[in-house]
Amino acid sequence: MTESSIQRDKWNSKAGFIIAAAGSAIGLGNIWRFPYVAGENGGAAFVILYILFVLLIGLPVMIAELTIGRNTQKNPIGAFLKLFPKSSWKYFGVMGVLTGIGILSFYGVIAGYTIGYFVKLLLGQFDTIAGAVESQRIFEEFTANPYVSVGYLFVFLTFTGYIVLGGISAGIEKWAKILMPILFVLLIILAIRSITLDGAIKGLEFYLEPDFSKVTASTFVMALGQALFSLSLGMGAMITYGSYLSKKDNIISSAASVCFFDTLIAILAGLVMFPALFAMGMNPSGGPGLVFIVLPSIFSKFPGGIYFGAGIFLLLSVAALTSTISLLEVAVSYFVDEKKWTRKKATVLMSIFAFICGVPSALSMGSSDWLSDLPILHIGVLELMNAVFGNYSLALGSLLVAIFAGYKWGVKAVKREVHQFGNEFKYFWLWSFLIRFLCPIAISIILGYIIITGNYF
Ligand code: PHE
């Protein structure tokens, strides 16, 4: 037992952890999902609510998850088993592992598209694109091809598995350190390009000037759902990443840095999308296709734009990749820690499992009528998976983390773990208040609302 914990891999440094955890948090959620959700929910007013939720709910829950992970040095199931061996909390861990695979299965489909688009741009398929309508047609044709959708899902999961196979410091951390800085620089360049397009100003107004008349109950629901998803909370990804954290590192400042970078990138992604969107005369509530339809129509408008665009889709894939590895790592760490599987066996089997679970989502984007419009529910499988795993499960999971840290394990235990090696827990009183009262109450109200109204996020 002790032997296996001595051998357990660790992040090389605090900075390495922050980059890897920011890599998990920063992904399609920031660059693909945030702009379209903000667009559908009124722009700036949504962004303000979103930031409030990150600070008041996301950050406290992240601190709780990282602390549980670091204290136990275990995967989510093992962590609860270690702290309370006889309780039912381990089933919460089971939910986390399943949610990780559930998200990976549909997320991998969209991530696969980003590789597909990278290839398409390089092959010159957007060189002469006329505008948004054509861009839309290309996207629909692309997703409706079953070989393409399933094929790219497979490719994406293979890359994910390859990195996870390398382990923590030599796999996940090493790759995150290479990939994240490049992503950041490219996003800034693209934001500048987008803001300087003719007619961009209307987009900036939409994005930066709040119109609170657009805020409804569903704006709250969407903002919270987006914050939890974007910060990778509620399914044990941060418990798992925290479990590889050194006892010397300060959990509070690490968590704050991850939340800061994640929000920064989401806001930057909005600065890329909205000005361009308005400059092209497109509707800001373009939905999930936004990134695939709007970006290519911008690239074709300036010299060398196509190669630049290819670079951006490559980087979108990269951002997605640093997230999918965290989704896979949760299940892998469970089988390695608890079932004593080799990392190789766990990685290969879990990747295959995620692939099988992902096929219906891949086929639901136009290849199969039935999967694209399920009976009774009238949504596609990918949308359903997103609602169940990407939204409900993360909200329920975050609620349970708050209750666990606030009451079951207790705020004092959390404080003790944070204090290791003389580290400070700044604003402990505030954190205790948020995790014990605000987080559970706010998340319960929102969960109750979606259950009663039957709305998913
Ligand atoms: N946070 C990731 C993103 O924004 C998605 C994710 C959710 C990753 C949950 C891990 C766990 O793209």
Side-chain angles (χ1 to χ4, degrees):
M1 192 69 195
T2 1
E3 209 178 6
S4 73
S5 48
I6 290 168
Q7 285 167 353
R8 215 163 177 269
D9 204 350
K10 266 196 172 33
W11 308 109
N12 272 328
S13 63
K14 180 178 163 195
F17 160 76
I18 292 174
I19 293 184
S24 165
I26 297 166
L28 296 176
N30 305 60
I31 303 168
W32 165 69
R33 205 180 195 236
F34 179 82
Y36 88 75
V37 173
E40 285 176 337
N41 287 280
F46 172 88
V47 176
I48 292 174
L49 257 185
Y50 175 80
I51 294 175
L52 275 178
F53 279 139
V54 168
L55 289 173
L56 299 177
I57 296 181
L59 181 58
V61 172
M62 183 173 296
I63 291 173
E65 281 203 28
L66 291 177
T67 311
I68 295 168
R70 196 188 57 186
N71 178 271
T72 56
Q73 315 262 296
K74 293 262 180 209
N75 62 87
I77 301 177
F80 293 109
L81 269 175
K82 186 168 173 184
L83 290 172
F84 296 96
K86 293 207 175 65
S87 79
S88 309
W89 280 94
K90 59 177 173 289
Y91 296 113
F92 169 43
V94 173
M95 183 176 110
V97 171
L98 292 176
T99 302
I101 297 290
I103 296 180
L104 181 58
S105 72
F106 78 83
Y107 194 95
V109 173
I110 311 286
Y113 292 168
T114 65
I115 304 193
Y117 260 60
F118 167 67
V119 174
K120 257 175 159 349
L121 276 145
L122 276 190
L123 292 178
Q125 293 183 3
F126 285 100
D127 287 358
T128 55
I129 195 163
V133 178
E134 203 184 336
S135 196
Q136 170 120 25
R137 185 188 52 78
I138 296 178
F139 179 63
E140 281 166 8
E141 264 175 30
F142 175 77
T143 59
N145 182 333
Y147 301 104
V148 168
S149 291
V150 175
Y152 279 120
L153 169 66
F154 183 81
V155 170
F156 206 87
L157 291 178
T158 307
F159 283 137
T160 306
Y162 173 76
I163 296 181
V164 169
L165 213 55
I168 301 307
S169 50
I172 302 179
E173 180 175 355
K174 181 183 107 187
W175 281 93
K177 274 183 175 157
I178 302 172
L179 303 171
M180 296 310 288
I182 309 177
L183 171 83
F184 186 64
V185 172
L186 266 146
L187 258 182
I188 291 191
I189 299 174
L190 199 67
I192 293 172
R193 173 63 241 181
S194 178
I195 292 169
T196 50
L197 284 168
D198 277 347
I201 193 80
K202 283 213 199 79
L204 282 178
E205 277 166 13
F206 173 79
Y207 189 44
L208 303 174
E209 272 179 23
D211 174 1
F212 288 103
S213 69
K214 290 193 183 133
V215 174
T216 61
S218 97
T219 320
F220 281 80
V221 174
M222 297 300 292
L224 178 69
Q226 176 60 24
L228 300 178
F229 182 84
S230 189
L231 294 169
S232 307
L233 297 174
M235 51 142 290
M238 290 299 160
I239 295 183
T240 310
Y241 271 28
S243 76
Y244 303 115
L245 201 52
S246 150
K247 295 275 181 196
K248 293 194 188 100
D249 291 334
N250 186 323
I251 291 179
I252 309 303
S253 62
S254 305
S257 309
V258 175
C259 290
F260 172 77
F261 288 124
D262 186 66
T263 308
L264 182 71
I265 299 289
I267 289 178
L268 263 178
L271 283 181
V272 174
M273 298 302 289
F274 292 114
L277 205 62
F278 279 79
M280 299 295 145
M282 288 169 75
N283 183 350
S285 54
L290 204 59
V291 124
F292 299 96
I293 295 161
V294 178
L295 287 187
S297 41
I298 309 171
F299 300 141
S300 55
K301 295 277 186 297
F302 62 95
I306 296 296
Y307 294 102
F308 191 69
I312 289 298
F313 275 104
L314 180 64
L315 284 154
L316 259 167
S317 326
V318 162
L321 190 57
T322 51
S323 300
T324 51
I325 52 187
S326 70
L327 291 162
L328 184 60
E329 177 61 29
V330 174
V332 168
S333 67
Y334 164 69
F335 285 105
V336 171
D337 289 348
E338 309 303 314
K339 302 288 171 205
K340 307 293 171 226
W341 287 10
T342 60
R343 179 162 274 273
K344 189 167 168 195
K345 177 177 169 191
T347 308
V348 171
L349 289 182
M350 284 303 108
S351 303
I352 294 174
F353 183 51
F355 173 70
I356 295 170
C357 297
V359 170
S361 290
L363 296 178
S364 75
M365 296 295 280
S367 338
S368 146
D369 288 344
W370 195 79
L371 294 172
S372 313
D373 183 14
L374 291 169
I376 305 167
L377 296 167
H378 294 299
I379 52 172
V381 176
L382 192 141
E383 259 179 287
L384 179 67
M385 296 291 280
N386 180 21
V388 172
F389 293 108
N391 295 314
Y392 287 121
S393 178
L394 297 187
L396 182 61
S398 301
L399 172 65
L400 291 174
V401 167
I403 294 173
F404 183 83
Y407 299 96
K408 176 75 184 169
W409 195 32
V411 291
K412 289 215 179 83
V414 173
K415 188 177 181 183
R416 229 176 291 126
E417 178 60 34
V418 170
H419 275 174
Q420 302 250 12
F421 284 86
N423 278 308
E424 253 188 280
F425 194 151
K426 274 196 187 146
Y427 304 111
F428 170 71
W429 61 270
L430 180 59
W431 176 82
S432 309
F433 169 76
L434 294 174
I435 207 79
R436 287 168 66 97
F437 301 105
L438 190 91
C439 295
I441 294 172
I443 303 174
S444 302
I445 292 176
I446 287 176
L447 257 177
Y449 174 85
I450 46 177
I451 291 167
I452 292 166
T453 58
N455 266 350
Y456 63 93
F457 297 131

